[in-house]
Amino acid sequence: MKKRVGFFLFSLFSLNFALAQTISISGTVKTQDGDALHLAFVQDRITKSGAYTDSLGNFSLAANPDSKLRISCFGFKDTLISINNRTSFAIVLRPSVNITANKAADAPASDNINQRTLTDQVNLDNAVRNVTTQHLTPPPPPQPTVSEANVAKVKANLYAVPLGASVSDGHPMQQPNDVALSQGSIYPVFTHKEATEGSRYLFGDWVHGYVLNSKDSIIQSPVLFFNYDKIGGSLLLSKDKHSAVAVYNELIKTFTLVDQLNQQYTFTLVPEIDKTHFVQIIASGNSYKIYKTIKTKFVAADYSTNGIASTGNAFDSFQDEFTYYILNVKTNSLQKLPLKKKAIKEVFAQEPDKLNKFMGENSGSSIDDSYLASLGDYMNK
């Protein structure tokens, strides 16, 4: 137990040291003709933080002032740019002679990034330590066997239920059984039958994103797509937007998913909060970290009537329950954070003047994720 706590504190210290060195930067990524590049990936090579450009080619992120930015976009040459304490960038990418994709793992030491073939760059066996994605079709009829050489395996959720399915559809709704397979796939379905509310998955379709794996390598490619299974607690990865694999949680340090509005959602594992599901990072800094858990359960339709009175719902639903936590980095104390002003004042009782100033400047705002993100950023200054 002491070793586990010590490792947790060491990880926090390392992360806090990196965060202490960051500055806010922003800029644009465009072609030589001045056209904005959407979904270009901009990564700080020291902090491993990254961001996708929006439809206008804009990006912003926290970066180490002494680091370099690696910019990649499908069909264009990877580019390295030194930050040198600058906060604004106008980046121009040159087209690649051969269309390539980027696996933003450890880049070469020099500023000249060698272009690789698409097959090589999305080979996750090299990037995520034997996470198998070559076989994205159902396994053959014989029971799959686990190879001793394949230490870090893919897990396939045998009870991956299509959204909208009910017990009457023949899909077991109990807690999923996670089976370690050396190959295999699941087939998440993001469309609902008409009378279903909510979703088992975080997004209604596959989205772009990137993963910081347990070896501190960034895994990102324009031909990799992601979603998060809120019930199973697994990050789903697909190359064809049809079949998918669920990566072992212990292979992931953090992952970031980007929705259609270019909003980023970053998740990590915090065993002190939940040992089996990822938690969303709302704010992170030297003094405080704010997390959000998402608990989703399936509730089958239970409508009934006797002709006079009726009860229950006539539709199946996936219901989300959110819980917020705040970690005081300096005291290493973790506690729940109710979305109420009184509770927030109690949490920050040691800094009343600073908190009151923030609340005064945001008095007309509702307390939601955006409010907490701004609060965390402000209190971490």
Side-chain angles (χ1 to χ4, degrees):
M1 181 65 182
K2 291 182 178 179
K3 289 183 178 179
R4 182 178 177 184
V5 173
F7 178 77
F8 179 66
L9 291 175
F10 175 76
S11 298
L12 287 177
F13 173 79
S14 300
L15 180 58
N16 292 337
F17 179 79
L19 288 172
Q21 309 301 314
T22 61
I23 59 175
S24 296
I25 67 172
S26 61
T28 59
V29 181
K30 297 183 178 181
T31 67
Q32 291 175 309
D33 296 328
D35 296 325
L37 287 174
H38 188 202
L39 294 176
F41 185 64
V42 184
Q43 177 203 349
D44 180 329
R45 293 185 60 196
I46 291 181
T47 67
K48 306 296 184 180
S49 61
Y52 283 91
T53 56
D54 60 20
S55 59
L56 299 178
N58 300 314
F59 72 90
S60 62
L61 74 156
N64 187 300
D66 299 318
S67 184
K68 293 182 179 181
L69 295 178
R70 181 176 182 174
I71 305 95
S72 59
C73 187
F74 187 73
F76 293 83
K77 292 182 179 180
D78 288 1
T79 300
L80 273 180
I81 296 178
S82 296
I83 297 176
N84 290 331
N85 279 301
R86 291 180 294 166
T87 59
S88 181
F89 298 83
I91 300 167
V92 177
L93 297 187
R94 293 180 297 169
S96 176
V97 176
N98 297 317
I99 294 179
T100 59
N102 172 52
K103 179 192 73 179
D106 293 337
S110 68
D111 284 1
N112 295 321
I113 301 178
N114 297 324
Q115 296 297 309
R116 303 179 179 86
T117 64
L118 178 64
T119 301
D120 177 60
Q121 293 209 31
V122 297
N123 185 350
L124 293 189
D125 280 346
N126 294 330
V128 200
R129 303 294 182 183
N130 293 329
V131 174
T132 305
T133 60
Q134 300 97 319
H135 304 281
L136 290 178
T137 56
Q143 180 68 27
T145 59
V146 177
S147 169
E148 292 183 1
N150 190 5
V151 179
K153 309 171 186 70
V154 171
K155 69 176 182 179
N157 186 344
L158 299 184
Y159 288 89
V161 182
L163 284 95
S166 64
V167 177
S168 62
D169 295 323
H171 298 285
M173 297 305 301
Q174 60 264 38
Q175 185 67 25
N177 290 333
D178 294 327
V179 180
L181 302 176
S182 59
Q183 62 182 20
S185 62
I186 58 178
Y187 294 84
V189 179
F190 301 140
T191 56
H192 303 260
K193 68 181 185 180
E194 185 175 352
T196 300
E197 290 190 353
S199 173
R200 172 183 183 136
Y201 302 97
L202 186 62
F203 301 104
D205 201 352
W206 294 102
V207 298
H208 289 278
Y210 61 95
V211 178
L212 177 64
N213 70 6
S214 57
K215 303 298 180 181
D216 280 331
S217 292
I218 292 285
I219 311 304
Q220 184 274 334
S221 170
V223 298
L224 293 180
F225 302 93
F226 303 90
N227 211 325
Y228 178 61
D229 180 356
K230 297 181 294 183
I231 292 180
S234 296
L235 175 66
L236 305 181
L237 180 151
S238 178
K239 291 170 64 178
D240 60 6
K241 294 188 176 182
H242 174 59
S243 57
V245 291
V247 184
Y248 261 149
N249 290 355
E250 55 264 34
L251 295 179
I252 302 171
K253 183 171 289 186
T254 65
F255 66 86
T256 299
L257 306 182
V258 184
D259 65 15
Q260 301 300 325
L261 299 177
N262 222 60
Q263 180 69 39
Q264 294 196 159
Y265 303 81
T266 299
F267 291 80
T268 189
L269 279 176
V270 182
E272 291 75 10
I273 296 177
D274 193 317
K275 292 181 173 60
T276 59
H277 290 70
F278 289 91
V279 299
Q280 185 179 347
I281 302 174
I282 301 298
S284 183
N286 302 321
S287 301
Y288 302 99
K289 300 180 188 297
I290 301 177
Y291 301 109
K292 172 185 177 181
T293 64
I294 307 174
K295 297 291 187 182
T296 302
K297 64 179 180 179
F298 175 80
V299 179
D302 58 353
Y303 177 83
S304 64
T305 181
N306 59 9
I308 299 175
S310 59
T311 60
N313 295 317
F315 52 84
D316 296 339
S317 64
F318 290 90
Q319 299 179 1
D320 293 331
E321 179 182 339
F322 306 124
T323 306
Y324 296 84
Y325 295 82
I326 185 165
L327 173 69
N328 186 316
V329 178
K330 296 177 180 178
T331 63
N332 194 35
S333 60
L334 181 71
Q335 60 182 305
K336 288 186 178 181
L337 180 62
L339 300 188
K340 297 182 181 297
K341 289 185 177 181
K342 181 179 179 181
I344 293 174
K345 289 182 178 180
E346 291 176 354
V347 168
F348 296 102
Q350 301 301 316
E351 302 179 83
D353 294 339
K354 191 173 184 179
L355 177 64
N356 289 334
K357 184 178 179 181
F358 173 84
M359 286 187 161
E361 294 173 352
N362 297 271
S363 58
S365 303
S366 57
I367 302 178
D368 54 14
D369 287 14
S370 179
Y371 182 95
L372 292 180
S374 298
L375 173 64
D377 291 343
Y378 187 86
M379 300 303 291
N380 277 314
K381 293 179 180 178

